[in-house]
Amino acid sequence: MNAIVVFIDQLNAPGTLSGTTLQLLTAARGAGEPVAVVAGPVEPLVLAELGSYGVSRVLNSEQAELGEYLIAPKADLVAQAAATVSASAVLVENSAAGKEIAARVGVMLHAGVITDAVALTHDGGSLVAQKSVLAGSWTTEARATSAVTVVSVKAHSVEATPAPVPSVAEVEGVEVAFAPASLGARVVSRTPRPASGRPELDDARIVVAGGRGLDGDFTPVEELADVLGAAVGASRAATDAGWISHTSQVGQTGKTVSPQLYISVGISGAIQQKAGMQTSQVIVAINKDSESPVFEIADFGIVGDLFQVLPQAVAEIKRRRAES
Ligand code: FAD
């Protein structure tokens, strides 16, 4: 059966598999035999969870270079592991790091690279990736003509589902031969970002994003995000104004998100903003201008002043929670 490699980074969060990783494992299982390639330690709980997602083969490396340098050594690990198992495909997260790994692995394996995939299917033994393009108005299919295909898959495109029959996962250590020139920039120190208590934007099931309409006060957006257990996103107008960190920016020059629910608040819906959120499963827009372009892609629209709409929504959600 086709080996489909899924890259898993355990260096910064050992002991847990992210929701995005479980989605990739589910997608890999649908396309062939999932093989996990892990940077960092594989703890017993992680090994058991990999088995429950149908993984029987785990290749890992704990070499220091993987943590001390940026992306390049991880790409070396993935390429060498993929060659070892004669993988027909490599799946990575659709984050900036995942896409850079995809590009480097593509060069090393002479493989076609497909980014921003929203679904994977099979056609006569070859992997077909679906992409949502032109502000979500078209779905295209892409297929590599090379022996190996590298695909970065958007978060929440696939629902994470354990295998009907779990596997017994076994770990094989991999000794990666790093070429010094390939290691790239070395990390000399790390400063952990203060925890917000909210989910990560790239990984969140629900995102509440605010724009210029907030006029500098993100409190209503944060309150709605907190009652929904959502991440907070923003338009570039809001991040450029310094109202919220640039790491929260969604769009062409920010993050690409694809949550189950995206609530757009006081954002006009410029094409560069849509580029980062148009594949969200359900889009709710709150804007006081009924002609705002965001309503063209919204599943539900509320025309009104956000400073009145959001507090009412928060109060109603809290009231219903209290009742149930
Ligand atoms: P505006 O366009 O000013 O819209 C504000 C909206 O708030 C309006 O629709 C208004 O009706 C509404 N509003 C105002 N007050 C209220 C209220 N009280 N209640 C309800 N609604 C209210 N933008 C991004 O977002 N992400 C990107 O990654 C990005 N990359 C870019 C890259 C390039 C190369 C360029 C040129 C631009 C990029 N932009 C990006 C900018 C983009 O073109 C828009 O300028 C930006 O998205 C506008 O942000 P906004 O919708 O918050 O502001």
Side-chain angles (χ1 to χ4, degrees), residues 198-222:
R198 298 190 183 104
E200 289 292 320
L201 186 54
D202 321 69
D203 209 20
R205 277 189 324 112
I206 307 176
V207 173
V208 185
R212 203 193 311 266
L214 282 148
D215 205 14
D217 180 7
F218 258 68
T219 316
V221 160
E222 288 169 348

Side-chain angles (χ1 to χ4, degrees), residues 86-136:
S86 305
S88 63
V90 173
L91 306 187
V92 294
E93 288 185 8
N94 202 53
S95 58
K99 287 186 192 174
E100 188 174 340
I101 290 171
R104 287 172 179 270
V105 171
V107 170
M108 285 185 269
L109 298 181
H110 304 292
V113 176
I114 302 170
T115 56
D116 301 322
V118 294
L120 297 178
T121 54
H122 246 291
D123 181 11
S126 68
L127 192 67
V128 179
Q130 289 187 352
K131 294 169 62 116
S132 176
V133 298
L134 298 174

Side-chain angles (χ1 to χ4, degrees), residues 213 264-267 285-292 295 301-310 312:
S264 163
V265 182
I267 296 178
I286 301 163
N287 197 302
K288 68 178 182 186
D289 175 6
S290 63
E291 300 293 315
S292 192
F295 290 123
I302 300 169
V303 179
D305 183 340
L306 68 92
F307 293 103
Q308 290 178 8
V309 175
L310 262 55
Q312 287 178 44

Side-chain angles (χ1 to χ4, degrees), residues 11 40 61-68 77 174-178:
L11 293 164
S61 170
E62 297 184 42
Q63 285 166 265
E65 288 86 345
L66 292 164
E68 285 177 7
L77 165 66
V174 177
E175 193 64 30
V176 188
F178 298 112

Side-chain angles (χ1 to χ4, degrees), residues 120-184:
L120 297 178
T121 54
H122 246 291
D123 181 11
S126 68
L127 192 67
V128 179
Q130 289 187 352
K131 294 169 62 116
S132 176
V133 298
L134 298 174
S137 50
W138 291 85
T139 301
T140 58
E141 291 192 337
R143 180 202 322 250
T145 51
S146 49
V148 184
T149 310
V150 184
V151 190
S152 70
V153 184
K154 283 191 171 185
H156 303 294
S157 304
V158 179
E159 194 182 334
T161 332
V165 182
S167 305
V168 178
E170 288 181 11
V171 184
E172 297 164 43
V174 177
E175 193 64 30
V176 188
F178 298 112
S182 81
L183 293 172

